[in-house]
Amino acid sequence: MDWTAEAIDRLRAFWAEGHSTAEIGRRMGISKNAVVGKAHRLNLPARPSPIRREAEGEAASRPAPQPRRQPGAMPAAAPSLAATAPLRDAAPLRRLEASAPVAAASVVAPAPQAMVVRPFPRASTRSCCWPLGEPGTPDFRFCTGNATPGKPYCAEHASVAYVRVRERREDAA
DNA sequence: CCCTGATTCGC
DNA sequence: GCGAATCAGG
């Protein structure tokens, strides 16, 4: 993967939109590993992980990482059972109470330095969050309409977002 | 098994 | 720096 400025920008955009790493990978034609790897390297804000890594105390409970494939190398010596667990600096790891369906963060401005990531790009909870334009492009933005009560979209976009499943003919074979 | 994201580490 | 392999939870 050639991580051009544009590619990174797109990654940031997709990431900010809350797409899954696999989805981003599909969209960009790369593996999810590449996505998550790069995101991690870019220090992009980790989105709620389904996994809860050990919290300080439990660090030792993990049986030490398995040795990974080593082409030419020999199996070195016996893994001196844990005991060595480095226990790196206590990771912040505050358990986020998950909740709001990860709304898109500011995707817009390719701002070089001051890229403030707002948790909520919408003016208020009452404005439509329908995305407009291609993520990562300068013109990407959100619909500015008023969201209908109880929905994240304006009436217009809500009608697009929520499709009646029952559209099917009843003659289904 | 499918999915998810995180981390490790040979390259 | 990159990303496959691996891990780990739902």
Side-chain angles (χ1 to χ4, degrees), chain A residues 4-19 24 27-28 104-111 115 131-142:
Chain A
T4 61
E6 292 79 52
I8 292 176
D9 219 47
R10 293 220 303 145
L11 170 59
R12 279 209 162 94
F14 284 134
W15 188 268
E17 280 186 274
H19 291 291
I24 296 173
R27 295 225 198 181
M28 296 182 69
S106 79
V107 177
V108 284
M115 175 173 171
L132 299 172
E134 178 71 11
T137 62
D139 61 305
F140 178 77
R141 71 278 180 204
F142 291 93

Side-chain angles (χ1 to χ4, degrees), chain A residues 14-20 45-49 96 98-105 118-122 129 142:
Chain A
F14 284 134
W15 188 268
E17 280 186 274
H19 291 291
S20 71
R47 286 187 287 53
S49 167
L96 10 105
S99 51
V102 184
R118 296 203 174 84
F120 239 70
R122 292 188 283 153
C129 67
F142 291 93

Side-chain angles (χ1 to χ4, degrees), chain A residues 87-115:
Chain A
L87 232 212
R88 31 199 128 279
D89 44 298
L93 193 83
R94 39 176 87 31
R95 48 181 69 243
L96 10 105
E97 296 294 303
S99 51
V102 184
S106 79
V107 177
V108 284
Q113 282 102 34
M115 175 173 171

Side-chain angles (χ1 to χ4, degrees), chain A residues 68-83:
Chain A
R68 307 176 78 266
R69 61 193 159 90
Q70 303 178 27
M74 293 203 290
S80 56
L81 286 184

Side-chain angles (χ1 to χ4, degrees), chain A residues 1-3 10 14 21-35:
Chain A
M1 182 60 188
D2 177 29
W3 286 110
R10 293 220 303 145
F14 284 134
T21 57
E23 176 60 22
I24 296 173
R26 280 190 289 270
R27 295 225 198 181
M28 296 182 69
I30 59 182
S31 72
K32 72 150 197 167
N33 297 0
V35 172

